[in-house]
Structures are given as structure tokens and as C-alpha cells.
Amino acid sequence: MGYRTLKGPGTAQFIVKKSVFIGYASPANTEDEAKAFIAKIKAHHSDATHNVSAYLINDGKNFAVRYDDDGEPKGSAGKPVLKVIQNKGLSNVVVVVTRYFGGIKLGYGGLVKAYSDAASLAIENAGIVEVYETERFEVTFPYNLFHTVRETVESAGGKVVDEEYGELVKFTVETRKGEAEPLMELLTEKTRGRARLRPLFMRPL
């Protein structure tokens, strides 16, 4: 099981009919983290007309979803921001869109579009990443198999996360959950049994 979330924080800013919209998106692993992020942006923009927010937390264990129009007409702001998060298939994400009113009303449809665009651009600027449960194993081998082992691991989608060099080389390899065993078998085959393999504990998300 995996989920899509953000690589890091992202922002976006634009003006619609003299109103300034600033979107902030961030990964958040818990509801408390999401609430803390919203509070931080609200404190930073305490002079703004509105600080609209939405978050969706779902890592397989915890689930929380919430949005806040922060004084905008009901359904015109927080819900569209949440919809952007859901439509992009994201989890563990919080978005705040700050608005400084410029004196010209946008109407319901205009608000929906502006808040959706701000959320979408902030998310795009943050970048999307897939998070998977992983498992690890150790592979120990003589130096002359270095390239064979590394190429086999990388071409199978594994990742060398630790390297030790003594009389023999020892790699710690990380793969997606369920892919360690086939890769270990492949390494045994490619090295003609000269690599020693040992499964390690599975790393929780």
C-alpha cells in the first residue's frame, strides 16, 4: 500500500480583480501537524481578509478530513480547496489560501475558481511524491561483483541506502514492500550464489 503526498511546501500567488490570493501547500503526517500549519499561516497573515484552509490525512491508520471557508460564502472556498486535494489523489496534505480583498466582489463562481487555482498551483509548486511501505535486506559480496550487484538492485527499482567496505562489500538495500524476496532471488542468480543475503526488519511508514 502506498499513497501520494507532497515533496515539501509550495506556494503560489496571483491577483484576480484586485484581490490577492496566496496559496500555501504542505505535507502533514497528522491532524495536529495540519492544524499547526494553518495556525502558522493565519498568524503570518493576520491582516488578511480570509485564510481559507483544508486538509486530508489518510496514511492507512489515521483518517481526518476538514475544510474551513473562514467567512467566505458557504461552499465557495474551503470545499473547492479540499476538492483539489481529493482530485489529485493526495493524502497527508494541508492547504491554506490567503485572500486580501481588493474591493471588487468576484461572485460565487469566481471565488470557487480563484481558491481552486491557488490550491492547485501551490500543490504543483510543492511537487507530488509517492510514499510506499518498504522492506530492507543486506547483501554481502566480493568487490569484483560491485557493478553487477548495484546494477541489478537499481534496475529492479531497489535503492542502496547504506554501504560498508571491509574485506567484503555490504549493501543495505531498500525496496517496496513485497519486492525484496524476488530481488534477493535475482541477486543470487546474477552472482551465481556468491552474494550472501539477509532480510532485515520492515520499516514502518
Side-chain angles (χ1 to χ4, degrees):
M1 273 294 290
Y3 62 86
R4 285 155 58 83
T5 188
L6 300 181
K7 277 183 192 168
T11 60
Q13 182 174 332
F14 54 83
I15 295 169
V16 182
K17 294 184 179 174
K18 295 186 180 176
S19 276
V20 178
F21 288 87
I22 311 163
Y24 295 92
S26 176
N29 291 318
T30 63
E31 192 169 9
D32 285 346
E33 271 184 38
K35 286 176 177 173
F37 181 80
I38 294 166
K40 188 177 82 174
I41 300 299
K42 281 189 167 183
H44 183 63
H45 289 292
S46 56
D47 59 337
T49 322
H50 306 281
N51 285 294
V52 165
S53 60
Y55 59 79
L56 194 157
I57 310 294
N58 184 12
D59 59 8
K61 294 183 283 289
N62 306 301
F63 183 78
V65 59
R66 190 166 169 270
Y67 64 87
D68 179 10
D69 292 316
D70 196 35
E72 290 283 30
K74 188 170 160 48
S76 70
K79 204 169 187 177
V81 170
L82 178 63
K83 258 207 163 108
V84 170
I85 296 171
Q86 290 170 326
N87 289 346
K88 290 182 183 289
L90 299 174
S91 295
N92 293 18
V93 170
V94 56
V95 176
V96 181
V97 180
T98 297
R99 180 191 185 191
Y100 287 90
F101 182 54
I104 301 169
K105 291 194 172 182
L106 302 186
Y108 188 88
L111 288 173
V112 170
K113 183 173 181 346
Y115 280 106
S116 299
D117 288 352
S120 194
L121 284 168
I123 285 169
E124 278 170 34
N125 290 338
I128 292 170
V129 66
E130 297 213 24
V131 178
Y132 290 93
E133 281 190 78
T134 59
E135 49 192 2
R136 293 180 173 196
F137 63 87
E138 270 178 7
V139 51
T140 308
F141 54 90
Y143 281 82
N144 64 348
L145 291 174
F146 186 90
H147 293 296
T148 304
V149 171
R150 189 180 275 279
E151 281 169 18
T152 304
V153 167
E154 289 176 355
S155 63
K159 195 162 68 178
V160 176
V161 292
D162 193 35
E163 303 171 32
E164 281 179 41
Y165 299 95
E167 279 182 41
L168 297 167
V169 183
K170 183 158 80 176
F171 283 173
T172 302
V173 176
E174 188 173 87
T175 69
R176 287 187 196 177
K177 190 181 174 187
E179 292 181 6
E181 208 171 303
L183 180 50
M184 287 165 79
E185 285 171 14
L186 184 62
L187 282 165
T188 300
E189 185 188 312
K190 292 275 189 186
T191 62
R192 299 196 178 125
R194 285 179 294 159
R196 286 208 314 274
L197 296 144
R198 186 168 74 91
L200 298 171
F201 64 92
M202 196 182 85
R203 190 166 66 89
L205 275 172

